[in-house]
């Protein structure tokens, strides 16, 4: 991607001006704060997200409606079926001559659509094909999730109807007190190549820190499911080791991404060039001490959605992708770039054959409660702008994060589910002292002075 422009301090450009896109006109705006000077190498300015115009479905594909067909039909392609037959091979990117190479992470085969749990906007319950508890258990084994009558043999097939049963990773849910995540195979992929990790730990002062990591395997690489799982586990472990010993969350996130990259690199074949090295993207969030820390590589995203829907939501990440590169270079508008068939060619990823590893990190200080939505493109393809994401997210997301993650996954499935879908919902609660300060503020709508706004992009 083009080199970032020199960093500028908010203090130099108007300290009292709210950060773009944050807050409402009647409230002080949350700010993006600087990183510790003793470790950040190359700060660069944060660019606010322009709200894109409505655009066609990803890659111009047409997807089925809300009705989901039997997920276990014989048309499901086997493991190893070549990817990308649903759309033409994208031509080489027409970008700056000195730009990084690109990698295409395209949807999988358009085989027989596979059904999955759907939670519509009205919270209408749908039958969950991954939950065998909905039917009475067959004595001595599991009940088929398709016919709800047959016994599942040791090979994973129903002895009555013959349908293959879903693998454990096809649909995963996890909820802690302060974070929840859901991952689903979607309707077109034959396996789930996404992965996530959610956790919580205590900081040295006794306060809590919440962690959410989401990774998306690159389908054109080998073992993308292993790559995403290794990256999510390594990043989560690194953060759980660093945060309790007092590491600054932005530094901890930076090191966690490097640890994730090393874990994916270790999966590469011993003979270079024997096959494409495993690869994945990563996005993570840490809520701790009244701060929100985001880190990412690739095109998985994080969004901020305030509890007060009168305040403006905001996208917190900037894609490492062909489309983002075209927009940053001024060669295309955002709506045009993301409607292009090459939009999802990523220019940054974790893997032994990555062009250059450049972890992006940013730290924010919201002035009001809300939630962070951390997700793969399997979700944001159906709710791309921050406003669209806020419209889909239930208003009670802060108190029902698992339900909210289910609703978001259901939204993507009802929209077509062309890719694996993974989302984590992380509530951000105001600190008690900051709540008192907000309550003591005059009701004139005057915004409090903003702190310096700087985005750190450490170089490796």
């Amino acid at each position: 991607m083009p080199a970032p422009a020199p960093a500028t301090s908010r203090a130099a450009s108007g300290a009292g001006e709210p950060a773009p896109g944050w807050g409402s006109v009647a409230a002080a705006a949350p700010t993006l704060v600087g990183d510790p000077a003793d470790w950040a190498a190359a700060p660069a300015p944060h660019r606010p997200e322009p709200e894109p115009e409505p655009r066609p479905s990803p890659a111009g594909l047409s997807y089925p409606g809300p009705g989901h067909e039997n997920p276990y039909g014989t048309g499901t392609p086997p493991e190893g079926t070549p990817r990308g037959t649903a759309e033409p091979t994208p031509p080489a990117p027409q970008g700056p001559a000195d730009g990084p190479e690109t990698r295409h992470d395209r949807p999988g085969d358009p085989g027989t659509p596979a059904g999955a749990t759907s939670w519509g906007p009205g919270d209408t319950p749908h039958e969950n094909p991954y939950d065998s508890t909905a039917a009475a258990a067959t004595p001595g084994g599991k009940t088929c999730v398709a016919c709800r009558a047959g016994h599942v043999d040791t090979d994973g097939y129903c002895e009555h109807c013959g349908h293959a049963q879903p693998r454990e990773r096809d649909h995963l849910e996890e909820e802690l007190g302060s974070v929840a995540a859901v991952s689903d195979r979607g309707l077109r992929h034959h396996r789930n190549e996404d992965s996530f990790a959610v956790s919580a730990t205590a900081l040295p002062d006794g306060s809590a820190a919440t962690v959410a990591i989401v990774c998306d395997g690159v389908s054109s690489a080998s073992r993308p499911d292993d790559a995403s799982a290794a990256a999510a586990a390594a990043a989560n472990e690194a953060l759980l080791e660093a945060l309790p010993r007092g590491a600054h969350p932005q530094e901890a996130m930076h090191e966690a991404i490097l640890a994730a990259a090393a874990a994916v690199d270790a999966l590469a074949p011993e003979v270079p060039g024997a096959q494409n090295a495993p690869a994945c993207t990563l996005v993570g969030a840490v809520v701790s001490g009244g701060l929100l820390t985001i880190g990412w590589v690739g095109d998985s995203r994080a969004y901020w959605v305030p509890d007060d829907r009168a305040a403006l939501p905001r996208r917190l990440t900037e894609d490492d992708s062909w489309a983002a590169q075209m927009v940053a270079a001024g060669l295309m508008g955002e709506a045009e770039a993301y409607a292009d068939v090459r939009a999802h060619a990523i220019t940054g990823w974790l893997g032994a054959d990555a062009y250059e590893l450049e972890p992006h990190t940013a730290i924010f200080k919201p002035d009001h409660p809300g939630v962070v939505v951390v997700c793969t493109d399997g979700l944001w393809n159906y709710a791309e702008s921050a406003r669209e994401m806020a419209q889909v997210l239930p208003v009670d997301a802060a108190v029902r994060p698992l339900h909210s993650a289910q609703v978001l996954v259901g939204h993507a499935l009802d929209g077509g589910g062309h890719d694996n879908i993974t989302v984590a919902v992380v509530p951000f609660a105001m600190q008690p002292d900051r709540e008192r300060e907000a309550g003591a503020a005059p009701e004139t709508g005057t915004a409090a002075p903003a702190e310096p706004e700087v985005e750190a992009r450490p170089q490796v």
Side-chain angles (χ1 to χ4, degrees), residues 9 64 75 122 128 138 151 154 175 179 196 201 204 322:
S9 169
N128 184 349
T138 301
H151 174 74
T154 55
E175 182 177 33
V179 60
F196 69 82
T201 188
W322 180 89

Side-chain angles (χ1 to χ4, degrees), residues 15 21 48 54 89 123 184 215 222 229 234 272 292 308 323 349 362 382 441 454:
T89 302
D123 196 23
D184 192 275
C215 297
S222 63
L292 168 58
D308 178 7
W349 62 87
Y382 300 100
V454 176

Side-chain angles (χ1 to χ4, degrees), residues 354-436:
Y355 178 81
E356 180 180 1
L357 177 59
E358 183 186 355
H360 310 293
T361 63
I363 190 164
F364 300 86
K365 197 171 185 180
D367 68 342
H368 46 270
V371 297
V372 186
V373 176
V374 185
C375 64
T376 62
D377 61 347
L379 171 61
W380 66 252
N381 275 326
Y382 300 100
E384 184 172 336
S385 73
R387 286 195 181 100
E388 290 172 325
M389 188 66 71
Q391 289 171 354
V392 178
L393 187 71
V395 294
D396 60 353
V399 295
R400 299 179 69 193
L402 177 59
H403 169 259
S404 299
Q406 293 169 340
V407 169
L408 292 175
V409 169
H411 174 75
L413 291 172
D414 287 342
H418 84 287
D419 202 353
N420 304 146
I421 310 150
T422 301
V423 57
V425 176
V426 191
F428 180 95
M430 294 287 290
Q431 298 297 302
D433 57 337
R434 299 185 69 202
E435 287 179 343
R436 287 194 296 270

